[in-house]
């Protein structure tokens, strides 16, 4: 798959497959069919000419994987009682700026804190950690 053709507002395919493995079931507009390659890797169940857009959860099929947006993935975890935040902060003594993500439970207790240098890195690490936590608690 050409990296440039994959939109950055969809979770990466590797993470989407992990979400499928934990029964992520929100309806998504985009999906991937296994065995496909190239530009037709990402599919949409609708065309731009449709007046009514219908959502699908393609991950329920063995040969397809739903491709959620980052917000859809985070929304699903909030529905499971795992809350998160990402903030930009700095370490003044070391003169380093970084992004910090927290994961909290329903009681607002901190489960995990993740630090990365870029927003994209911390967002990916956060979603992977949410998957890991959920897997270990189901």
């Amino acid at each position: 798959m050409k990296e440039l053709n994959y939109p950055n507002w969809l979770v990466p395919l590797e993470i989407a497959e992990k979400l499928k493995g934990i029964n992520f079931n929100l309806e998504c507009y985009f999906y991937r069919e296994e065995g496909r390659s190239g530009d037709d890797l990402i599919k949409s169940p609708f065309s731009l000419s449709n007046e009514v857009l219908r959502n699908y959860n393609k991950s329920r099929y063995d040969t397809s994987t739903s491709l959620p947006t980052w917000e859809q993935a985070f929304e699903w975890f909030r529905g499971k009682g795992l809350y998160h935040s990402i903030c930009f902060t700095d370490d003044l003594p070391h003169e380093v700026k970084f992004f910090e993500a927290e994961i909290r439970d329903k009681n607002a207790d901190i489960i995990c804190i993740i630090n990365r240098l870029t927003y994209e890195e911390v967002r990916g690490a956060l979603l992977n950690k949410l998957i890991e936590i959920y897997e270990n608690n189901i």
Side-chain angles (χ1 to χ4, degrees):
M1 172 175 57
K2 297 176 193 170
E3 188 66 33
L4 295 176
N5 291 337
Y6 196 90
N8 65 2
W9 41 267
L10 291 178
V11 301
L13 182 55
E14 175 186 313
I15 295 176
E17 289 171 346
K18 290 179 185 179
L19 288 168
K20 180 178 181 177
I22 60 168
N23 297 317
F24 172 86
N25 60 358
L26 289 185
E27 297 173 335
C28 299
Y29 286 119
F30 295 93
Y31 64 96
R32 175 193 180 263
E33 286 188 24
E34 292 179 21
R36 298 276 185 159
S37 63
D39 292 336
D40 62 348
L41 180 67
I42 300 171
K43 298 282 192 179
S44 174
F46 60 88
S47 70
L48 294 177
S49 62
N50 287 351
E51 290 183 14
V52 178
L53 302 179
R54 296 186 314 165
N55 292 326
Y56 290 88
N57 175 15
K58 296 297 281 191
S59 286
R60 68 181 147 208
Y61 305 109
D62 289 338
T63 60
S64 299
T65 301
S66 291
L67 299 173
T69 64
W70 289 96
E71 184 54 35
Q72 285 175 306
F74 290 135
E75 174 188 359
W76 189 79
F77 283 105
R78 287 191 304 271
K80 304 295 183 190
L82 292 171
Y83 301 93
H84 72 281
S85 64
I86 297 176
C87 66
F88 185 58
T89 191
D90 58 5
D91 179 352
L92 292 175
H94 297 100
E95 297 180 1
V96 176
K97 294 183 183 338
F98 58 93
F99 289 86
E100 183 173 85
E102 281 185 356
I103 300 173
R104 293 177 179 251
D105 64 15
K106 297 184 246 194
N107 300 320
D109 294 328
I110 295 175
I111 297 173
C112 180
I113 297 175
I114 303 165
N115 298 308
R116 298 290 188 276
L117 291 178
T118 70
Y119 176 81
E120 291 76 15
E121 289 173 335
V122 80
R123 178 179 64 177
L126 171 62
L127 193 48
N128 277 314
K129 191 64 173 178
L130 284 164
I131 292 167
E132 178 186 324
I133 291 167
Y134 183 78
E135 275 180 324
N136 292 329
N137 292 310
I138 54 174

